[in-house]
């Protein structure tokens, strides 16, 4: 939605921000919750005192959505917009609301005995609850991995805005601490990240210990951990974790990774969840494009329809969970269709697979799709990328703010793709075009017309990269603009066309 309809995405953020409570104990005097589980009749906030979960991650998802919006659109002005919170007439800047959400994670949720994010009533899995005596003491590996990704993104937003260096440094330090503890405390000797620590009586969940009442591999924490770069300094562990997924989880279902990967009787909610499997796709894209694409394809409606063509569920829509018998999750039998996760997440993860990632200074291109798939195209008003299947890449970036935006190109995957298609190439030639303010091409809801209006000549920058160049290639727009486009062509000697 951020790429296709950024103004609509901003309206969703406004609605979420207006649900923020005046106090973390406004909804439930016994337990902190800054965001409610949902809004029910007449706009009433539903939380713990009304039977709803009060997890540790609502505020993280709000920060993630806001950070993705700001970094992609560069709409920093939105942060100064004044909004009132829930049951309040006090209008505060969006930035102030988001700082409250960040501080809730850092201070009210905080870390438990192993230095991981506390679990509160639950985390993403609202049925995953600690014993009553361990509430606010237990820790979530899943939420810790999520926070390790979100908090540095939030810090990047603060640095983009300026004037909040202390808050940015604090968010980064908190995330660094979580990454360290994930590797030292949550890593199981058998070769995977555990799921959680549920207090002294239950101990670790998702471990290899024979005493673990809910043991074995859980897939959900892995995608967020890969995205957060938890394994970047110990790549062997990252490869081991991916290998564990493939050996323990892949055979359980013909579609995406199941939430619980062990065999035998399983509690409800143990099937495949696109809400976690698409973050897995994006995390895998950082380390293994072929495995990432395989997971993307397995989470498609096409794959589910091929598995069980006799059931309409999964042919044109589906629920949020798919069980191992292909039926919807136990609690979605009465509403087994139109779950937005099944339809929205592929749009998010495919943009990562084609290589588009926003930065504080512009946008980067680092494709992960296997070259064997051939030509592809991703086209939205905000950003697009395409490959002709041989030697040419092109794309555009049209943020909502004017700036001398930068394109950062990861050369290695482009050289590898061109080499597979054509033979040996010596490097890449990158042409960046920018249009002056007022000359941006016409934009509709589905396509950006690359031809500028009459009389608007593009300003061009050209650079070359050798085939063996390890460092990314960066080009900056020669003038302030709201539209840049690029063409990248394999340069030099071509032995033969392998296709």
């Amino acid at each position: 939605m951020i790429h296709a309809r950024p103004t609509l995405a901003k309206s969703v953020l406004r609605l979420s921000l207006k649900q923020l409570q005046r106090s973390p104990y406004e909804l439930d005097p016994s337990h902190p919750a800054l965001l409610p589980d949902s809004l029910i009749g007449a706009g009433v906030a539903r939380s713990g005192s009304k039977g709803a979960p009060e997890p540790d991650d609502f505020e993280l998802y709000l920060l993630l959505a806001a950070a993705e919006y700001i970094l992609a659109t560069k709409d920093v002005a939105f942060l100064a917009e004044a909004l009132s919170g829930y049951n309040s007439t006090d209008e505060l800047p969006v930035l102030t609301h988001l700082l409250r959400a960040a501080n809730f994670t850092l201070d009210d949720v905080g870390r438990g005995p192993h230095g991981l994010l506390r679990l509160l009533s639950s985390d993403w899995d609202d049925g995953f609850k600690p014993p009553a005596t361990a509430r606010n003491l237990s820790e979530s590996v899943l939420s810790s991995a999520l926070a390790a990704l979100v908090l540095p993104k939030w810090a990047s937003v603060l640095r983009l805005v300026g004037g909040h260096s202390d808050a940015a440094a604090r968010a980064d330090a908190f995330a660094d601490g979580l990454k360290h503890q994930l590797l030292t405390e949550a890593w199981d000797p058998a070769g995977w990240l555990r799921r959680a620590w549920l207090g002294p009586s239950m101990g670790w969940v998702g471990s290899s210990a024979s005493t673990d009442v809910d043991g074995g591999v859980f897939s959900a924490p892995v995608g967020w951990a890969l995205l957060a770069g938890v394994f970047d300094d110990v790549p062997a562990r990252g490869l081991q974790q991916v290998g564990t997924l493939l050996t323990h989880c892949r055979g359980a279902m013909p579609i995406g990774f199941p939430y619980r990967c062990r065999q035998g009787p399983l509690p409800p909610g143990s099937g495949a969840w696109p809400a976690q499997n698409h973050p897995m796709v994006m995390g895998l894209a950082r380390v293994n494009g072929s495995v990432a694409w395989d997971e993307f394809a397995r989470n498609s409606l096409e794959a589910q329809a091929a598995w069980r063509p006799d059931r309409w569920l999964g042919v044109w829509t589906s629920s949020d969970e798919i069980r191992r018998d292909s039926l919807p999750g136990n609690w979605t039998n009465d509403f087994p269709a139109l779950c937005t996760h099944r339809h929205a997440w592929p749009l998010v993860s495919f943009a990562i697979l084609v290589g588009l990632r926003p930065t504080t200074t512009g946008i980067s291109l680092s494709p992960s799709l296997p070259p064997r798939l051939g030509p592809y195209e991703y086209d939205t008003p905000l950003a697009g990328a395409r490959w002709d299947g041989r030697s040419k890449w092109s794309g555009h970036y049209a943020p909502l703010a004017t700036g001398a935006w930068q394109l950062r190109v990861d050369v290695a995957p482009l050289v590898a793709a061109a080499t597979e298609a054509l033979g040996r190439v010596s490097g890449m030639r990158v042409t960046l075009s920018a249009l002056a303010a007022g000359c941006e091409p016409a934009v509709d809801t589905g396509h950006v017309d690359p031809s500028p209006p009459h009389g608007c000549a593009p300003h061009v920058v050209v650079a070359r990269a050798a085939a063996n160049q390890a460092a990314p290639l960066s080009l900056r727009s020669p003038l302030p603009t709201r539209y840049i486009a690029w063409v990248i062509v394999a340069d030099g000697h071509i032995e033969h066309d392998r296709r």
Side-chain angles (χ1 to χ4, degrees), residues 54-57 109-110 116-125 128-130 134-141 143 195-198:
E54 296 167 326
D56 58 6
D57 61 354
V109 180
L116 300 171
L117 204 68
R118 293 194 301 157
L119 184 59
L120 302 190
S121 74
S122 59
D123 52 21
W124 164 81
D125 178 357
F128 188 81
K129 301 180 184 298
R135 178 166 175 168
N136 298 352
L137 174 68
S138 54
E139 298 159 297
S140 170
V141 175
S143 294
R195 176 63 180 84
W197 183 76
L198 296 186

mmCIF file of all heavy atoms in Angstrom, residues 54-57 109-110 116-125 128-130 134-141 143 195-198:
data_model
loop_
_atom_site.group_PDB
_atom_site.id
_atom_site.type_symbol
_atom_site.label_atom_id
_atom_site.label_comp_id
_atom_site.label_asym_id
_atom_site.label_seq_id
_atom_site.Cartn_x
_atom_site.Cartn_y
_atom_site.Cartn_z
ATOM 1 N N GLU A 54 -2.985 -8.557 25.526
ATOM 2 C CA GLU A 54 -2.168 -7.351 25.678
ATOM 3 C C GLU A 54 -0.713 -7.737 25.412
ATOM 4 O O GLU A 54 0.093 -7.853 26.343
ATOM 5 C CB GLU A 54 -2.349 -6.771 27.088
ATOM 6 C CG GLU A 54 -3.771 -6.303 27.343
ATOM 7 C CD GLU A 54 -4.038 -6.037 28.816
ATOM 8 O OE1 GLU A 54 -3.475 -6.740 29.684
ATOM 9 O OE2 GLU A 54 -4.820 -5.128 29.099
ATOM 10 N N PRO A 55 -0.376 -7.964 24.158
ATOM 11 C CA PRO A 55 0.937 -8.518 23.826
ATOM 12 C C PRO A 55 2.045 -7.483 23.900
ATOM 13 O O PRO A 55 1.820 -6.297 24.145
ATOM 14 C CB PRO A 55 0.748 -9.024 22.398
ATOM 15 C CG PRO A 55 -0.260 -8.087 21.826
ATOM 16 C CD PRO A 55 -1.198 -7.755 22.960
ATOM 17 N N ASP A 56 3.247 -7.945 23.599
ATOM 18 C CA ASP A 56 4.418 -7.085 23.694
ATOM 19 C C ASP A 56 4.797 -6.428 22.381
ATOM 20 O O ASP A 56 5.805 -5.712 22.323
ATOM 21 C CB ASP A 56 5.615 -7.904 24.210
ATOM 22 C CG ASP A 56 5.932 -9.110 23.312
ATOM 23 O OD1 ASP A 56 5.309 -9.250 22.254
ATOM 24 O OD2 ASP A 56 6.806 -9.912 23.693
ATOM 25 N N ASP A 57 4.013 -6.646 21.304
ATOM 26 C CA ASP A 57 4.510 -6.259 19.975
ATOM 27 C C ASP A 57 3.629 -5.290 19.193
ATOM 28 O O ASP A 57 3.992 -4.889 18.085
ATOM 29 C CB ASP A 57 4.736 -7.513 19.121
ATOM 30 C CG ASP A 57 3.455 -8.316 18.894
ATOM 31 O OD1 ASP A 57 2.413 -7.973 19.490
ATOM 32 O OD2 ASP A 57 3.513 -9.296 18.126
ATOM 33 N N VAL A 109 7.750 -2.513 28.272
ATOM 34 C CA VAL A 109 7.974 -3.926 27.955
ATOM 35 C C VAL A 109 9.337 -4.336 28.493
ATOM 36 O O VAL A 109 9.449 -5.207 29.347
ATOM 37 C CB VAL A 109 7.872 -4.175 26.431
ATOM 38 C CG1 VAL A 109 8.121 -5.656 26.135
ATOM 39 C CG2 VAL A 109 6.504 -3.749 25.902
ATOM 40 N N GLY A 110 10.383 -3.705 27.997
ATOM 41 C CA GLY A 110 11.716 -3.937 28.538
ATOM 42 C C GLY A 110 12.224 -5.356 28.321
ATOM 43 O O GLY A 110 11.650 -6.131 27.549
ATOM 44 N N LEU A 116 16.195 -10.624 26.794
ATOM 45 C CA LEU A 116 15.286 -10.635 25.646
ATOM 46 C C LEU A 116 14.022 -9.850 25.986
ATOM 47 O O LEU A 116 13.722 -9.588 27.156
ATOM 48 C CB LEU A 116 14.922 -12.078 25.279
ATOM 49 C CG LEU A 116 16.109 -12.977 24.898
ATOM 50 C CD1 LEU A 116 15.656 -14.426 24.782
ATOM 51 C CD2 LEU A 116 16.750 -12.509 23.611
ATOM 52 N N LEU A 117 13.269 -9.474 24.956
ATOM 53 C CA LEU A 117 12.060 -8.682 25.172
ATOM 54 C C LEU A 117 11.034 -9.496 25.972
ATOM 55 O O LEU A 117 10.787 -10.675 25.675
ATOM 56 C CB LEU A 117 11.468 -8.274 23.823
ATOM 57 C CG LEU A 117 10.591 -7.022 23.822
ATOM 58 C CD1 LEU A 117 11.430 -5.786 24.102
ATOM 59 C CD2 LEU A 117 9.882 -6.870 22.474
ATOM 60 N N ARG A 118 10.448 -8.847 26.957
ATOM 61 C CA ARG A 118 9.465 -9.547 27.782
ATOM 62 C C ARG A 118 8.220 -9.884 26.961
ATOM 63 O O ARG A 118 7.876 -9.202 25.998
ATOM 64 C CB ARG A 118 9.085 -8.693 28.989
ATOM 65 C CG ARG A 118 10.218 -8.510 29.978
ATOM 66 C CD ARG A 118 9.726 -7.973 31.299
ATOM 67 N NE ARG A 118 9.057 -6.681 31.142
ATOM 68 C CZ ARG A 118 8.161 -6.186 31.990
ATOM 69 N NH1 ARG A 118 7.803 -6.890 33.043
ATOM 70 N NH2 ARG A 118 7.631 -5.004 31.792
ATOM 71 N N LEU A 119 7.510 -10.922 27.384
ATOM 72 C CA LEU A 119 6.381 -11.462 26.628
ATOM 73 C C LEU A 119 5.062 -10.788 26.955
ATOM 74 O O LEU A 119 4.164 -10.746 26.105
ATOM 75 C CB LEU A 119 6.292 -12.969 26.874
ATOM 76 C CG LEU A 119 5.241 -13.769 26.120
ATOM 77 C CD1 LEU A 119 5.440 -13.628 24.620
ATOM 78 C CD2 LEU A 119 5.314 -15.248 26.505
ATOM 79 N N LEU A 120 4.874 -10.236 28.139
ATOM 80 C CA LEU A 120 3.577 -9.717 28.590
ATOM 81 C C LEU A 120 2.517 -10.808 28.466
ATOM 82 O O LEU A 120 2.774 -11.955 28.776
ATOM 83 C CB LEU A 120 3.205 -8.445 27.827
ATOM 84 C CG LEU A 120 4.211 -7.280 27.920
ATOM 85 C CD1 LEU A 120 3.624 -5.994 27.337
ATOM 86 C CD2 LEU A 120 4.710 -7.044 29.338
ATOM 87 N N SER A 121 1.305 -10.502 27.947
ATOM 88 C CA SER A 121 0.268 -11.542 27.910
ATOM 89 C C SER A 121 0.531 -12.566 26.816
ATOM 90 O O SER A 121 0.082 -13.709 26.899
ATOM 91 C CB SER A 121 -1.115 -10.912 27.697
ATOM 92 O OG SER A 121 -1.270 -10.482 26.353
ATOM 93 N N SER A 122 1.208 -12.149 25.756
ATOM 94 C CA SER A 122 1.498 -13.002 24.609
ATOM 95 C C SER A 122 2.359 -12.188 23.663
ATOM 96 O O SER A 122 2.803 -11.086 23.996
ATOM 97 C CB SER A 122 0.201 -13.454 23.916
ATOM 98 O OG SER A 122 -0.551 -12.335 23.481
ATOM 99 N N ASP A 123 2.587 -12.739 22.463
ATOM 100 C CA ASP A 123 3.233 -11.955 21.413
ATOM 101 C C ASP A 123 2.380 -12.055 20.157
ATOM 102 O O ASP A 123 1.149 -12.012 20.256
ATOM 103 C CB ASP A 123 4.688 -12.400 21.196
ATOM 104 C CG ASP A 123 4.847 -13.898 20.966
ATOM 105 O OD1 ASP A 123 3.861 -14.557 20.580
ATOM 106 O OD2 ASP A 123 5.961 -14.409 21.149
ATOM 107 N N TRP A 124 2.995 -12.193 18.971
ATOM 108 C CA TRP A 124 2.188 -12.305 17.748
ATOM 109 C C TRP A 124 1.148 -13.416 17.865
ATOM 110 O O TRP A 124 0.007 -13.267 17.436
ATOM 111 C CB TRP A 124 3.114 -12.554 16.555
ATOM 112 C CG TRP A 124 2.384 -13.054 15.348
ATOM 113 C CD1 TRP A 124 1.690 -12.305 14.439
ATOM 114 C CD2 TRP A 124 2.238 -14.413 14.947
ATOM 115 N NE1 TRP A 124 1.124 -13.123 13.490
ATOM 116 C CE2 TRP A 124 1.451 -14.422 13.778
ATOM 117 C CE3 TRP A 124 2.716 -15.624 15.464
ATOM 118 C CZ2 TRP A 124 1.122 -15.602 13.113
ATOM 119 C CZ3 TRP A 124 2.387 -16.795 14.804
ATOM 120 C CH2 TRP A 124 1.604 -16.768 13.647
ATOM 121 N N ASP A 125 1.523 -14.537 18.435
ATOM 122 C CA ASP A 125 0.605 -15.650 18.653
ATOM 123 C C ASP A 125 -0.160 -15.372 19.938
ATOM 124 O O ASP A 125 0.329 -15.623 21.038
ATOM 125 C CB ASP A 125 1.398 -16.960 18.755
ATOM 126 C CG ASP A 125 0.511 -18.167 19.021
ATOM 127 O OD1 ASP A 125 -0.716 -17.996 19.190
ATOM 128 O OD2 ASP A 125 1.057 -19.288 19.072
ATOM 129 N N PHE A 128 -0.384 -17.987 22.593
ATOM 130 C CA PHE A 128 0.873 -18.430 23.202
ATOM 131 C C PHE A 128 1.074 -17.633 24.485
ATOM 132 O O PHE A 128 1.573 -16.520 24.468
ATOM 133 C CB PHE A 128 2.019 -18.193 22.213
ATOM 134 C CG PHE A 128 3.334 -18.770 22.629
ATOM 135 C CD1 PHE A 128 3.616 -20.110 22.431
ATOM 136 C CD2 PHE A 128 4.314 -17.963 23.209
ATOM 137 C CE1 PHE A 128 4.852 -20.642 22.803
ATOM 138 C CE2 PHE A 128 5.542 -18.487 23.579
ATOM 139 C CZ PHE A 128 5.805 -19.831 23.377
ATOM 140 N N LYS A 129 0.675 -18.214 25.600
ATOM 141 C CA LYS A 129 0.635 -17.466 26.848
ATOM 142 C C LYS A 129 1.563 -18.095 27.893
ATOM 143 O O LYS A 129 1.666 -19.319 27.984
ATOM 144 C CB LYS A 129 -0.793 -17.441 27.397
ATOM 145 C CG LYS A 129 -1.804 -16.806 26.454
ATOM 146 C CD LYS A 129 -3.189 -16.828 27.062
ATOM 147 C CE LYS A 129 -4.222 -16.296 26.082
ATOM 148 N NZ LYS A 129 -3.975 -14.897 25.728
ATOM 149 N N PRO A 130 2.195 -17.274 28.683
ATOM 150 C CA PRO A 130 3.002 -17.806 29.792
ATOM 151 C C PRO A 130 2.104 -18.188 30.959
ATOM 152 O O PRO A 130 0.926 -17.790 31.014
ATOM 153 C CB PRO A 130 3.895 -16.621 30.154
ATOM 154 C CG PRO A 130 3.038 -15.432 29.850
ATOM 155 C CD PRO A 130 2.231 -15.809 28.631
ATOM 156 N N ALA A 134 4.261 -16.170 35.530
ATOM 157 C CA ALA A 134 5.426 -15.739 34.745
ATOM 158 C C ALA A 134 5.096 -14.589 33.806
ATOM 159 O O ALA A 134 5.945 -14.173 33.020
ATOM 160 C CB ALA A 134 5.983 -16.913 33.948
ATOM 161 N N ARG A 135 3.870 -14.081 33.879
ATOM 162 C CA ARG A 135 3.540 -12.940 33.032
ATOM 163 C C ARG A 135 4.407 -11.743 33.440
ATOM 164 O O ARG A 135 4.596 -11.476 34.624
ATOM 165 C CB ARG A 135 2.057 -12.584 33.149
ATOM 166 C CG ARG A 135 1.684 -11.371 32.335
ATOM 167 C CD ARG A 135 0.197 -11.200 32.171
ATOM 168 N NE ARG A 135 -0.107 -9.946 31.472
ATOM 169 C CZ ARG A 135 -1.291 -9.635 30.985
ATOM 170 N NH1 ARG A 135 -2.306 -10.462 31.114
ATOM 171 N NH2 ARG A 135 -1.483 -8.476 30.379
ATOM 172 N N ASN A 136 4.922 -11.043 32.450
ATOM 173 C CA ASN A 136 5.827 -9.905 32.629
ATOM 174 C C ASN A 136 7.224 -10.325 33.083
ATOM 175 O O ASN A 136 8.079 -9.472 33.313
ATOM 176 C CB ASN A 136 5.275 -8.869 33.609
ATOM 177 C CG ASN A 136 3.965 -8.263 33.141
ATOM 178 O OD1 ASN A 136 3.531 -8.496 32.018
ATOM 179 N ND2 ASN A 136 3.339 -7.488 34.002
ATOM 180 N N LEU A 137 7.447 -11.643 33.209
ATOM 181 C CA LEU A 137 8.776 -12.153 33.510
ATOM 182 C C LEU A 137 9.312 -12.957 32.327
ATOM 183 O O LEU A 137 10.499 -12.923 32.020
ATOM 184 C CB LEU A 137 8.740 -13.038 34.765
ATOM 185 C CG LEU A 137 10.036 -13.760 35.134
ATOM 186 C CD1 LEU A 137 11.098 -12.747 35.573
ATOM 187 C CD2 LEU A 137 9.776 -14.780 36.256
ATOM 188 N N SER A 138 8.413 -13.675 31.662
ATOM 189 C CA SER A 138 8.803 -14.506 30.522
ATOM 190 C C SER A 138 9.273 -13.636 29.358
ATOM 191 O O SER A 138 9.053 -12.422 29.329
ATOM 192 C CB SER A 138 7.634 -15.386 30.095
ATOM 193 O OG SER A 138 6.481 -14.602 29.857
ATOM 194 N N GLU A 139 9.919 -14.280 28.367
ATOM 195 C CA GLU A 139 10.539 -13.545 27.262
ATOM 196 C C GLU A 139 10.180 -14.189 25.929
ATOM 197 O O GLU A 139 10.050 -15.417 25.827
ATOM 198 C CB GLU A 139 12.061 -13.536 27.418
ATOM 199 C CG GLU A 139 12.543 -12.840 28.682
ATOM 200 C CD GLU A 139 13.947 -13.286 29.051
ATOM 201 O OE1 GLU A 139 14.134 -14.485 29.349
ATOM 202 O OE2 GLU A 139 14.862 -12.433 29.048
ATOM 203 N N SER A 140 10.045 -13.357 24.907
ATOM 204 C CA SER A 140 9.694 -13.812 23.566
ATOM 205 C C SER A 140 10.890 -13.683 22.627
ATOM 206 O O SER A 140 11.393 -12.582 22.404
ATOM 207 C CB SER A 140 8.522 -13.002 23.006
ATOM 208 O OG SER A 140 8.334 -13.273 21.628
ATOM 209 N N VAL A 141 11.331 -14.811 22.060
ATOM 210 C CA VAL A 141 12.377 -14.776 21.042
ATOM 211 C C VAL A 141 11.835 -14.143 19.767
ATOM 212 O O VAL A 141 12.525 -13.360 19.099
ATOM 213 C CB VAL A 141 12.909 -16.197 20.778
ATOM 214 C CG1 VAL A 141 13.916 -16.203 19.631
ATOM 215 C CG2 VAL A 141 13.528 -16.774 22.042
ATOM 216 N N SER A 143 9.405 -11.813 19.393
ATOM 217 C CA SER A 143 9.322 -10.355 19.514
ATOM 218 C C SER A 143 10.700 -9.713 19.619
ATOM 219 O O SER A 143 10.901 -8.576 19.170
ATOM 220 C CB SER A 143 8.470 -9.966 20.730
ATOM 221 O OG SER A 143 7.131 -10.369 20.541
ATOM 222 N N ARG A 195 11.871 -20.584 20.787
ATOM 223 C CA ARG A 195 10.652 -19.783 20.623
ATOM 224 C C ARG A 195 10.457 -18.761 21.738
ATOM 225 O O ARG A 195 10.082 -17.617 21.488
ATOM 226 C CB ARG A 195 9.443 -20.731 20.559
ATOM 227 C CG ARG A 195 8.075 -20.069 20.486
ATOM 228 C CD ARG A 195 7.926 -19.261 19.225
ATOM 229 N NE ARG A 195 6.606 -18.629 19.168
ATOM 230 C CZ ARG A 195 6.302 -17.479 19.744
ATOM 231 N NH1 ARG A 195 7.226 -16.808 20.434
ATOM 232 N NH2 ARG A 195 5.092 -16.971 19.626
ATOM 233 N N ALA A 196 10.708 -19.164 22.989
ATOM 234 C CA ALA A 196 10.457 -18.269 24.126
ATOM 235 C C ALA A 196 10.978 -18.907 25.394
ATOM 236 O O ALA A 196 11.293 -20.104 25.437
ATOM 237 C CB ALA A 196 8.958 -17.974 24.266
ATOM 238 N N TRP A 197 11.082 -18.091 26.428
ATOM 239 C CA TRP A 197 11.336 -18.573 27.778
ATOM 240 C C TRP A 197 10.116 -18.209 28.610
ATOM 241 O O TRP A 197 9.771 -17.032 28.746
ATOM 242 C CB TRP A 197 12.592 -17.928 28.362
ATOM 243 C CG TRP A 197 12.957 -18.437 29.727
ATOM 244 C CD1 TRP A 197 13.533 -19.630 30.036
ATOM 245 C CD2 TRP A 197 12.766 -17.770 30.979
ATOM 246 N NE1 TRP A 197 13.727 -19.753 31.390
ATOM 247 C CE2 TRP A 197 13.256 -18.619 31.991
ATOM 248 C CE3 TRP A 197 12.220 -16.535 31.331
ATOM 249 C CZ2 TRP A 197 13.219 -18.261 33.339
ATOM 250 C CZ3 TRP A 197 12.181 -16.178 32.676
ATOM 251 C CH2 TRP A 197 12.683 -17.040 33.665
ATOM 252 N N LEU A 198 9.433 -19.221 29.157
ATOM 253 C CA LEU A 198 8.152 -19.009 29.840
ATOM 254 C C LEU A 198 8.268 -19.110 31.354
ATOM 255 O O LEU A 198 7.380 -19.632 32.029
ATOM 256 C CB LEU A 198 7.105 -20.005 29.319
ATOM 257 C CG LEU A 198 6.736 -19.850 27.834
ATOM 258 C CD1 LEU A 198 5.595 -20.787 27.466
ATOM 259 C CD2 LEU A 198 6.364 -18.406 27.512
#
